[in-house]
Every structure is written in structure tokens, then in C-alpha cells.
Amino acid sequence: MRMTIPFQRYIVLLSRGIGVLLLFSVFLSCTPLHLPAVTPTAKASLTLTALPSPLPSLTPSPTSAIQLKDEQLRGVTIRFWHPYSGEVGETFERLAVEFSRQNQWNLSVVSERVNGIDLLDERMNTALTEGNVPHLVIAPLYQALQWNQSRPILVDWSIYTEDVIWGISSSDRQWYYPNMWEASFLEGHRWGIPARRVAQLLLYNASWANELGFNAAPDSSTELQQQACAVRSEGDQTNPNGSRGYLFTHDYPTILAWFMAFGAQITGNEQESYQFKSAEVEKALVFLRKLFEQECTLNDPDLDPINAFVQRRALIVPGNSAQLQLVEQAMENAANRDRWTVLPFPTVNGEASTVLYGTDFVLLRSSEREELAAWLFVRWLLEKETQQRLAEETFGLPLRRDVGEALQKETGLPSGYRAAIEYLPLGVNEPLWASWDRVRWAVGDSSRQLVAWYFTLDQMPSLVQLLEKTAADLHSRQP
């Protein structure tokens, strides 16, 4: 029997069916056309879908603290002073002209040589008074710090060297010898950038030493004393001007080098002055005095050290790395075929050290455009190719290790100069306080007491104490 659906219920079922159809059509209209068709499953399952990971936050690119564009630099001219004459001065002037011709900003560098650091100091003091200072200067940093005490004029190079756009890249900076690059960083400020550095070393006649029975260079101060005193037994011992083992010189780099070789640390906190009153300084002076008492030293202030070395007046002679080409030429001119080399200053325990000293690039306050222009010139001078040219033409020590390694392979350079580069990492920098300009002369004068007729070893503590007091007095003076 066929069942009939009541009319009202039929209406209800029909309306529900239409509603389902309408809902399904709405769903289809909202589904993107490019999605694949959904295959129905027999049984619904709950699947946990991982939420997409949030996008990494973007780190803003570092921005330059120097708000200048290339076009703002065009046509800027900077004045550049340096204290060098001869070939060194000519090299810096050639490089200034070359940079002016080829740089992309059309910058001009007008260089002026001021012969000698003393005349440079006078010129700068006059310029400070008149308010007409150059933009860039090569000078001993201790001298420039004195100018800065009179009038705040120096600019911290860190603003430029560490800038993310205009500065030196970390990959390039890793090539700089750390002991040279960090030398001019004082109390949180980079007041200088090494322009020309030399090392204080010892000239050593290896042929003569072999004739005396020594087959190796001295590795300690004791061995140096043995070799120096071996010369004393040759010839006429009564002749004070005869040959000796060691030429006694009183230049401050040599005396400072002996202090360092015996482990002295003469600078600490600048507010506490120098530290010459120490066992290490006293031991160094005692060592030199004993060489003198044993008649192992040649003491002639009028004798040229290079001539003394070439003429076999002294087996071991203090000198600096910038003189090594002159030594080689003097040996050739004298037809002296002795084998010779350079040595660092030997220590008690067989280690060694040298003293590094020289001049820095210092930047003087001017407009932002002129300061940046001066930095771009210096940055170019610090590049590998330019550094190699400076070293080969002036025999200054390279600032970069990659240049040093290349120069050591250059057979056309003096062998002594190549040896000096090998010892460059052993270099200890001279103090760069403003007062060092005065104190350094006191260091040299202290050694003159060692050869005075009235001086005895018993007076050594008093000599060290006097040096300490003199240095403190000079340190406290204002320029």
C-alpha cells in the first residue's frame, strides 16, 4: 500500500532540500576555480595543519654616519703638509698628484713639504694662532697631541675608518699588523694613522763574528756581551779608538729598545706618568754600563754609525730600518764583502724585540666635506698597491701584512730591509703621549751618564730615580 505524505510535511521537506541546494551552490561559488576537485571520503577525519611560520624580521641595513653623497664631494681641495724632503718627500708628492688625477670625486690634494718635524711644529703653531691650518698633516703623534692641547683641533679617525660605507672593510683591516694599527689608538680615540714607521735594530757583521769563532748571531743579552767582548782581544787594547764589539750610541730609540728588551713597561695610565723607576730599566742600564767597563764598547759621539760598521770599527751597531739601503750602498762603495744582517734587541731569556717609531696622518678640523676628502686620500694610501709603492720607494715599514710578505720575496730589495720586515711583529711602539716629545730626550741623556768618568754602578739606583723624577716633571708641564 502506497503511503502518502501529508501536505504540510511535504512542504517542510521540500523547503529543507532547497536550502541545502542553495547552501551547496554558495559554497561552490566561493571556491577558487584553480583548486582541484575535492574527492569525498567515506569518513571525515580531523587533520591538524601546522600554522605557517612567521616571516623573519628584517634587520635594517647599517647606515652611514656621514650624510654626504658623491656629488657633494666633487671639486673639494685639501691642503696636505708633510715634513719630508728628498726621495721620501718626492714620493708623497707624486702620490698626491696621482690621486688628484684619478679619483672618482675630482678631489684635489695640494701637498706642501715642510722640511723637518721641528720646522713643521713651528709652522703649525703659527697656523693655529692665525686660524689657517691645513686639512691633513703627517707628524709625530706626540707632537700633534700638543697642538690639540693648545686648541682642540684633531679629529678622531674612527669616524671614518669604521664607517659602514666610507670606512675600511673588516676583510681589509685583517691584513694590518696589529701592533702598528693599534699604536695610535689612545684612550678610546684614534688620533693618528701610521704614515711612516721605522724599526730600531742592530747591524751585525756575520763574517767578522765567524772569524771570532761565533757561528750564530746572539740570541740573548749574555751572548751579545760575549761576542762584543771578543773583539776587545783583537789588536791594541790600549787604543780607545780601536775596534770594539758594540758602538755606544745615546739616541733615545736605542736606549728605549734596551729598556724594552729587558722587559720594562714605562707607560701605564697617562694620569700616573712614566714608570722608569723599575728593576727592568735598572738592569738594562747596568748591562750597558758593564759593557763599557769591560772595554767592549766604542764611545765616539762624532763617529758616524754606518761608517763605523762598514770600516769594522764595531761588530754590532744600532741603526734603524730606513738606513739599510745606505748601509748596503756604503758596503759596496768600500768594496766590503762582509756578510751582514740586522737583529732585534736580544733579551735575557732569548726572546727579542724592536722599537717602532715615526709619524702619523693626523686630521684637523674643517668642514665635513673636506674631512671626508682628506680621509679618502689617506684610505687610498693605505691600499695594498700604494703601500707597496711607499715601502719600495721610501724604505718605510709597510702597515699591511700582505705587503710585508710580498716585499720579503723581492730580491731586489736590501736583504737587511727584508729581515727588518720579518721582525716587524716583534715591534713595540714608542710612547705616544704629548709629553713624550720632551721625555724622550731625557731617556737619551740618561745613557750619557753611563760613560761619564765620575759614574759608578753604585750610583745606578740614583740615576733611575732621577730619570723617573725628570720624566714626571716634564709630563706635568703644559705645552
Side-chain angles (χ1 to χ4, degrees):
M1 181 177 67
R2 190 174 66 176
M3 297 181 63
T4 60
I5 300 174
F7 180 76
Q8 285 116 347
R9 188 177 179 190
Y10 176 82
I11 294 298
V12 171
L13 291 174
L14 180 61
S15 63
R16 288 179 179 176
I18 293 171
V20 171
L21 290 173
L22 288 172
L23 181 63
F24 184 71
S25 65
V26 169
F27 174 78
L28 289 177
S29 66
C30 296
T31 303
L33 296 177
H34 62 274
L35 292 178
V38 179
T39 304
T41 56
K43 184 177 180 180
S45 62
L46 180 62
T47 302
L48 297 177
T49 304
L51 294 174
S53 301
L55 293 174
S57 58
L58 296 177
T59 302
S61 300
T63 58
S64 172
I66 304 169
Q67 300 300 313
L68 287 175
K69 298 179 180 179
D70 281 11
E71 55 267 23
Q72 293 176 281
L73 290 173
R74 300 195 182 281
V76 173
T77 298
I78 61 170
R79 295 167 59 210
F80 166 47
W81 288 4
H82 66 83
Y84 298 118
S85 57
E87 294 182 2
V88 177
E90 291 173 1
T91 297
F92 275 108
E93 291 184 353
R94 280 198 303 271
L95 290 172
V97 171
E98 183 175 329
F99 175 80
S100 299
R101 289 176 177 171
Q102 72 177 27
N103 74 85
Q104 68 188 72
W105 306 278
N106 195 29
L107 304 174
S108 297
V109 179
V110 179
S111 63
E112 181 179 349
R113 66 175 73 185
V114 183
N115 294 331
I117 60 174
D118 293 333
L119 183 57
L120 175 65
D121 190 37
E122 293 179 12
R123 287 280 304 276
M124 270 301 302
N125 287 321
T126 301
L128 286 169
T129 302
E130 297 175 351
N132 186 30
V133 297
H135 304 98
L136 178 68
V137 179
I138 293 180
L141 187 55
Y142 50 78
Q143 192 178 74
L145 290 172
Q146 291 185 63
W147 305 335
N148 205 50
Q149 288 180 348
S150 301
R151 172 187 166 190
I153 193 68
L154 298 187
V155 178
D156 186 344
W157 279 114
S158 300
I159 300 170
Y160 299 98
T161 60
E162 298 176 10
D163 189 78
V164 295
I165 293 179
W166 301 98
I168 303 172
S169 67
S170 57
S171 59
D172 204 36
R173 198 178 304 167
Q174 71 178 350
W175 289 108
Y176 296 164
Y177 289 103
N179 56 339
M180 294 183 69
W181 181 245
E182 298 302 326
S184 305
F185 193 79
L186 305 173
E187 298 183 349
H189 300 281
R190 184 175 297 284
W191 295 124
I193 293 176
R196 179 172 168 79
R197 286 287 194 274
V198 298
Q200 195 70 8
L201 300 158
L202 296 172
L203 305 176
Y204 176 73
N205 190 321
S207 295
W208 192 2
N210 288 345
E211 295 170 12
L212 296 170
F214 300 101
N215 297 320
D219 283 334
S220 67
S221 54
T222 300
E223 291 181 4
L224 185 142
Q225 183 180 22
Q226 291 173 348
Q227 295 199 21
C229 291
V231 179
R232 180 191 56 188
S233 61
E234 284 194 339
D236 184 3
Q237 297 183 30
T238 62
N239 182 3
N241 295 321
S243 296
R244 294 291 188 271
Y246 176 76
L247 178 65
F248 211 131
T249 64
H250 306 289
D251 54 289
Y252 83 87
T254 295
I255 305 305
L256 179 63
W258 281 118
F259 289 171
M260 301 302 186
F262 278 80
Q265 300 288 335
I266 66 169
T267 55
N269 188 324
E270 188 172 3
Q271 305 303 320
E272 299 175 359
S273 189
Y274 297 86
Q275 301 169 6
F276 288 111
K277 190 178 179 181
S278 67
E280 292 79 13
V281 169
E282 187 168 337
K283 287 177 182 177
L285 293 174
V286 167
F287 169 76
L288 293 172
R289 172 65 189 188
K290 286 185 176 179
L291 278 181
F292 170 75
E293 288 185 348
Q294 295 167 352
E295 299 182 359
C296 305
T297 62
L298 181 63
N299 313 300
D300 186 350
D302 298 325
L303 183 61
D304 179 75
I306 294 178
N307 289 338
F309 186 70
V310 171
Q311 298 168 8
R312 279 201 178 195
R313 297 287 305 280
L315 175 72
I316 301 169
V317 173
N320 68 62
S321 56
Q323 298 173 315
L324 297 177
Q325 185 188 30
L326 299 177
V327 176
E328 187 172 81
Q329 292 173 349
M331 293 288 281
E332 292 177 359
N333 294 338
N336 187 331
R337 299 184 180 278
D338 286 345
R339 289 182 298 104
W340 64 279
T341 188
V342 295
L343 305 174
F345 285 74
T347 63
V348 176
N349 58 9
E351 296 177 357
S353 66
T354 67
V355 165
L356 302 175
Y357 60 102
T359 55
D360 280 56
F361 294 107
V362 291
L363 180 63
L364 307 184
R365 292 181 185 274
S366 56
S367 71
E368 189 176 18
R369 296 169 68 235
E370 290 164 331
E371 288 180 10
L372 180 56
W375 159 240
L376 293 173
F377 174 49
V378 172
R379 190 182 69 177
W380 179 74
L381 293 173
L382 299 181
E383 292 178 359
K384 180 180 178 181
E385 294 76 12
T386 321
Q387 280 284 297
Q388 185 152 348
R389 284 181 56 188
L390 271 170
E392 291 175 343
E393 295 178 20
T394 72
F395 293 96
L397 294 174
L399 177 62
R400 301 174 59 105
R401 183 165 40 86
D402 49 358
V403 174
E405 292 170 356
L407 293 174
Q408 285 181 284
K409 301 174 184 177
E410 292 286 343
T411 56
L413 295 173
S415 59
Y417 176 74
R418 285 182 276 131
I421 295 175
E422 179 182 351
Y423 300 134
L424 204 159
L426 303 175
V428 180
N429 294 282
E430 68 174 335
L432 294 177
W433 296 346
S435 60
W436 182 244
D437 194 22
R438 301 179 292 270
V439 173
R440 60 197 177 108
W441 301 115
V443 171
D445 288 340
S446 67
S447 70
R448 289 183 172 85
Q449 298 297 317
L450 301 180
V451 297
W453 63 269
Y454 53 80
F455 188 81
T456 64
L457 281 173
D458 294 340
Q459 296 172 298
M460 194 65 73
S462 298
L463 175 60
V464 174
Q465 185 173 0
L466 177 61
L467 177 58
E468 173 97 355
K469 182 179 183 305
T470 302
D473 291 342
L474 295 173
H475 184 63
S476 63
R477 292 182 188 176
Q478 293 298 319

Coordinates of all heavy atoms in Angstrom, one line a residue, residues 31 45 248 281:
T31 N 34.5 28.9 -4.0 CA 35.8 28.0 -4.2 C 36.5 28.5 -5.4 O 36.0 28.7 -6.4 CB 35.4 26.6 -4.3 OG1 34.6 26.2 -3.2 CG2 36.6 25.7 -4.5
S45 N 37.7 12.9 8.8 CA 38.8 12.8 9.7 C 39.3 14.2 10.1 O 39.3 15.1 9.2 CB 40.0 11.9 9.2 OG 40.5 12.6 8.1
F248 N 128.6 52.4 21.2 CA 127.7 53.0 22.2 C 127.1 54.3 21.7 O 127.8 55.3 21.4 CB 128.5 53.3 23.5 CG 127.7 53.2 24.8 CD1 128.1 52.5 25.9 CD2 126.4 53.9 24.8 CE1 127.4 52.4 27.0 CE2 125.7 53.8 26.0 CZ 126.1 53.1 27.1
V281 N 114.4 48.6 34.0 CA 115.2 49.7 33.5 C 116.5 49.7 34.1 O 117.6 49.9 33.4 CB 114.4 51.1 33.8 CG1 115.4 52.2 33.5 CG2 113.2 51.2 33.0

